[in-house]
Amino acid sequence: MSERLVVVSNRVAVPRSLRPAPGGLAVGVLEALRQTGGIWVGWNGKVAKGTEGPTVEVQQQDDIEYLTLSMSQADYEDYYLGFANRVLWPLFHLRLNLVQYRRRYLEAYRRFNESLALQVERVLRPDDLLWVHDYHLIPVARNLRKAGCRNRIGFFLHIPFPAFDVFRAIPHHTFILRLFLEYDLIGFQTGLDRDSFLDSLQRVFPECVVSPHEVVHDGRRISIGVFPIGVDVDTAIEEAAKGRASTQGRRLQANLMDRRLIIGVDRLDYSKGLAERFQAYEQFLAHFPRHAEDIVYMQIAQPSRSDVPEYQVIRDEVDYLAGKINGRYAAHDRVPLRYLCRSFSRTTILGFLSLARVGLVTPLRDGMNLVAKEFVAVQDPDDPGVLILSRLAGAAEELEGAVKVTPYNIDGVADAIALAVDMPLGERRERWQQMMQGVRHNTIADWTRGFLAALRHARAPAASTVAAGGTADPVPG
Ligand code: ADQ
C-alpha cells in the first residue's frame, strides 16, 4: 500500500468554505496532500450549541479527505480560547503578564486533543505519515501512542519556543514538554526556537541526550530540525498583478497620486506590535513633518480571536491611537493613517503589498511572519520597496537586507521609517535582491518537502516503547 499523509491542524482549509483564502500553512499542507493523497483532520470552526455533542463532517475532493470536528461550547471556551490562546499563545510570545492560567483550561486541552486523536486513530493505516501542526495540538502524539500507534509522527511548531525562564512560569510545563517526546520529528521555525526547546528539555529531563539534530530519551530517538516556512513566490507574483489590476488596486493607485505608501498587514493580535508601531509612526510624523504631505500609511488589521478579552483590549488601544494620530495630523484633504480593521482577499493584499514603498513588519515576537516574505516576493525588481522588520520575527534570521528594528524602540522605528521612505534606489535594489534570493530559495514547497523528507528519515518508535503505552502518562496534579 502506498504511503499516505495524514495532517492534523487546528483549522482545516476545507474546499469551498466561506472562510478567507488560506495562508502559508494551508498552501503547504494542500500541496503535500495533493502529492501523496491523504487526510486532513482538524476543527471545522463550528461550536456545538448547548449540550449538543461534537459533530464530525467528512468531505472528499480528489485524493484528499477532509475530516473535521465541531467543538463543544466548553471546549471552545476552555481549550481554544483558554489553554491555547490565553496560556500557550501569550507564554510562547513572551507575554507572561497576559497568561491567564486555569486548571480547567488544561483539562479541556487534554480532552479536546483526546477526541481529535480518536478521529485520527479511526482512519489511520499502519504506513501513514502523520504531521501535526502547532501549539493547539501538542498532545496528539501522546494520545495516539497510548492507543498503540507506531506510525512516524512529526510535529511543527509555527510559533516561537520561549526561553526556559519564561516556559517554566506555567504550572505543568514539565507535562507539556514531555508530550513533545512522543514525536519522531520536531520542527521549529528558527535555530533560536530549537535551542530554547533543547535547553528546556535538558533542564527538565537531565537524562536526555541532546544534540542540535537529535534527542535521545528513554531509548527513543527523536529527530530535531529547523524548517523556516516560506511563500509560494511565483503564485504571489501572479496574484499581486491581479490585485493591482482589480478595482481596489486601481483605486488605491489613483488615490495615492505621488504619495508613497507605507503598509502593514497583520492579524489584530497583541504579538504583532500594532500599538507600538502606531506610536512610532506618530513620532515619525512629529519629527519629520514635511512627510505628512507625501506619505500615506495604510494598516490592514484582520480581527482575530475577538472572544479573548486581551484581544478586545488591544483593539481598543489601537483604535484610540489611530484616532489620536489622525486627529492631530490629518488635514481637510488627507489622512496620514488609513486603519482598516478587516480582512481582504489574498489577491488584494498581495496587490496592495506590491504597491508599497515601505513594508512595516514590527511584531513584538513572531514565529516567522509570512507577510514579511510576501512583501519581498511581490516587489517590482526595478523599483522595490524597503522592508522594515522586527528583529524578534523569525523572518529576521533570513532577511538580511531588511532594515532591522527593535519593535519596543519607538524612536528607533520612527527613524527607520524616515530612512526607508528616503532610501535611494540603488540601496533599495541591493537590499531587495539579497532578500529575494533568500525568499526564492526557501519557498513553501521547500518547507513541505524538507519537513516530510526528514520525517521519512526519522526513526519510527520501537514496538516495546509503544506497546507499553509509551512513557508513563504524566498526569498533572
Ligand atoms: P500568523 O500569526 O497568522 O501565523 P503571518 O505569518 O504573518 O502570521 O500571516 C499568515 C497569513 O495571513 C499571511 O499569508 C498573510 O498574508 C495573511 N494575513 C495576515 N493579515 C491579514 C489581513 N489583515 N487580511 C488578510 N490576510 C492577512 C502563524 C505564526 C507566524 C508564522 C505562520 C506560518 O504566528 O509567525 O509565520 O503561522 O507558520
Side-chain angles (χ1 to χ4, degrees), residues 20-25 89 93 134-135 156-160 189 229 231 264-269 271-272 299-305 340-346 349-350 353 361 365-372 374 393-394 447:
L25 154 72
W89 178 271
H93 286 87
D134 230 0
Y135 64 103
F156 184 78
L157 185 68
H158 288 259
I159 64 174
Q189 300 270 25
I229 194 165
V231 297
V265 175
D266 305 78
R267 275 188 307 102
L268 187 39
D269 191 300
S271 67
K272 303 293 180 184
Q299 175 64 53
I300 298 171
Q302 178 179 17
S304 167
R305 304 174 194 167
L340 296 97
C341 194
R342 51 168 289 198
S343 75
F344 284 87
S345 72
R346 237 184 121 55
I349 292 280
L350 291 167
L353 286 174
V361 182
R365 191 74 182 93
D366 218 327
M368 177 54 59
N369 196 300
L370 289 173
V371 176
E374 287 164 351
W447 173 73

Side-chain angles (χ1 to χ4, degrees), residues 131-172:
W131 188 2
V132 179
H133 290 264
D134 230 0
Y135 64 103
H136 312 83
L137 304 179
I138 304 167
V140 166
R142 171 71 204 148
N143 291 320
L144 290 171
R145 299 293 187 222
K146 275 198 292 188
C149 163
R150 285 187 56 203
N151 297 57
R152 283 194 179 80
I153 317 180
F155 179 83
F156 184 78
L157 185 68
H158 288 259
I159 64 174
F161 194 92
F164 180 63
D165 203 23
V166 174
F167 183 61
R168 69 177 174 159
I170 56 159
H172 311 307

Side-chain angles (χ1 to χ4, degrees), residues 5-8 128-134 137 140-141 145 151-157 180 182-187 222-223 451-452 454-456 458:
L5 178 63
V6 177
V7 175
V8 192
D128 289 343
L129 269 187
L130 260 148
W131 188 2
V132 179
H133 290 264
D134 230 0
L137 304 179
V140 166
R145 299 293 187 222
N151 297 57
R152 283 194 179 80
I153 317 180
F155 179 83
F156 184 78
L157 185 68
F180 280 96
E182 300 289 353
Y183 289 93
D184 303 302
L185 168 67
I186 308 171
I222 300 147
S223 300
F451 187 91
L452 290 176
L455 183 55
R456 286 185 188 104

